Amino acid sequence: MTTTQIETKPKRKVRNFALLSNKAGAAFLTPAGLLVSVFVIVPFFWVIFVSFTNRTLLGKTALNPEFVGLANYFTLFDPSNFLQRGQFGFSLILTTQFVLASALFGQALLGLLLAWLIQTVPPWVKRITETFVIAAWILPEVVIGFAWFAFLDRDQGTLNAMLTSVGLPKGDFLLEQPFWVIVVFNTWRGAAFSMMLFGSAFSSIPPSYFQAADVAGASSWQKFRDIGLPLIRGHIVTDLILITMWTFNTFTPFLLTNGGPSYRTELVSIYNYRVAFNDFQFGKGAAVGVIMMLINLAFALVYLSLGRKRKG
């Protein structure tokens, strides 16, 4: 190619790729922003607004609600009946116990134990264990709920059939121990997430760490305590944040007990459903929703602060 050809070659037009990428990014983000606005931001502020009104599903206040200020919140925290069954205080304390028993001492510990144990078993045992545990998590809630209801049925349930086959009396577990039934049910269903999270965390630890511990004669408990736990601390905080909020907001126990008997399993989520859709008190139900949101935020802030202190 000659010098003349080089000089007469037309210049290529330089495009502003940065400007183009910004416009394209805005175009791609616009639908997502609209969806978030319609389904998250607008309902968020609408619920807060409704919580300050006496809106109901039926009656004259359905179309023309009145602004009542903090009346709904005062009703929920009325000290004269706060701890009575069927009231918000009773459901709040019951939900706190449920979260402690099912999320913290159930799902987290069981998932951590399973995740550690499957690291030491043959691969085929690990695959079978993961398959059965994860199946409980991925199956639809309605299917799981009715399966457990059939399992615990007093007259034709599988559990009572097993008990009578060995000479033990039948038990009406959903009536006699409804709270512990939903604790075990939720633990069994939710432990899979903790197991998978902790399992991936353990797998990311360099094998040389455990090999060095084996050479030093460390036991399995010592390796778990001194190597495993410190290195997955961040995963533990993440797991606790997620399962605490999921358990606090879960509605699945409704499929087993309907909040009964005598409100003994009426968690805050079930109480909120009853107030809003059975009693038709949308304003009061919205106030419950706002309180639940604040409690979830408090859970997250506490766990995050604990995680930062540990890292420091």
Side-chain angles (χ1 to χ4, degrees):
M1 183 178 292
T2 64
T3 306
T4 306
Q5 289 176 327
I6 295 176
E7 292 176 353
T8 59
K9 186 176 181 180
K11 294 182 180 180
R12 297 179 61 184
K13 186 177 180 181
V14 179
R15 296 183 180 180
N16 190 340
F17 288 101
L19 181 61
L20 180 63
S21 62
N22 289 338
K23 291 182 178 179
F28 283 117
L29 288 176
T30 298
L34 291 175
L35 290 174
V36 170
S37 299
V38 172
F39 293 104
V40 178
I41 298 177
V42 173
F44 171 79
F45 287 105
W46 185 83
V47 168
I48 294 177
F49 169 74
V50 172
S51 69
F52 296 112
T53 69
N54 63 347
R55 181 184 291 272
T56 58
L57 181 64
L58 303 174
K60 63 180 182 179
T61 56
L63 296 177
N64 299 303
E66 298 177 358
F67 184 81
V68 296
L70 297 174
N72 290 319
Y73 295 92
F74 289 143
T75 301
L76 292 174
F77 290 97
D78 185 1
S80 63
N81 60 0
F82 183 69
L83 297 179
Q84 294 180 4
R85 289 188 179 183
Q87 300 299 322
F88 177 71
F90 181 84
S91 295
L92 185 61
I93 293 176
L94 185 70
T95 305
T96 303
Q97 297 171 344
F98 178 69
V99 170
L100 290 173
S102 177
L104 304 186
F105 294 103
Q107 298 176 53
L109 287 181
L110 180 59
L112 185 62
L113 177 63
L114 288 173
W116 178 255
L117 290 178
I118 63 176
Q119 303 299 317
T120 61
V121 298
W124 66 272
V125 177
K126 179 179 179 179
R127 287 193 294 268
I128 293 176
T129 304
E130 289 177 339
T131 300
F132 279 102
V133 175
I134 295 174
W137 188 52
I138 63 175
L139 288 175
E141 293 183 348
V142 174
V143 175
I144 293 296
F146 282 104
W148 267 73
F149 187 84
F151 177 72
L152 297 171
D153 184 70
R154 176 178 174 79
D155 297 323
Q156 300 180 351
T158 305
L159 181 56
N160 277 318
M162 295 168 60
L163 293 176
T164 54
S165 66
V166 295
L168 295 176
K170 290 184 177 181
D172 196 346
F173 305 100
L174 292 173
L175 182 63
E176 298 168 357
Q177 298 294 336
F179 176 76
W180 292 110
V181 165
I182 63 174
V183 167
V184 174
F185 165 74
N186 196 67
T187 300
W188 170 82
R189 176 169 173 78
F193 175 80
S194 298
M195 184 196 72
M196 290 188 295
L197 181 62
F198 294 141
S200 63
F202 284 133
S203 299
S204 65
I205 299 176
S208 58
Y209 291 8
F210 296 112
Q211 293 170 1
D214 291 332
V215 173
S219 64
S220 179
W221 163 248
Q222 290 173 328
K223 290 188 290 185
F224 173 74
R225 181 193 61 191
D226 300 329
I227 300 177
L229 282 182
L231 294 178
I232 67 167
R233 186 167 50 198
H235 296 81
I236 293 176
V237 174
T238 301
D239 180 73
L240 290 177
I241 292 174
L242 294 175
I243 65 173
T244 297
M245 291 191 292
W246 289 343
T247 304
F248 182 82
N249 296 298
T250 185
F251 189 74
T252 310
F254 179 84
L255 301 174
L256 284 177
T257 62
N258 198 23
S262 302
Y263 305 106
R264 290 162 63 187
T265 59
E266 189 176 67
L267 306 176
V268 171
S269 58
I270 301 175
Y271 173 83
N272 192 16
Y273 170 81
R274 177 171 64 84
V275 168
F277 297 103
N278 284 0
D279 300 341
F280 306 135
Q281 301 179 45
F282 278 8
K284 187 177 179 180
V288 176
V290 172
I291 295 171
M292 292 176 66
M293 177 193 66
L294 294 176
I295 292 175
N296 282 313
L297 179 61
F299 279 143
L301 292 177
V302 168
Y303 283 133
L304 289 175
S305 64
L306 291 176
R308 291 194 187 99
K309 289 180 180 179
R310 288 181 177 271
K311 290 180 180 179

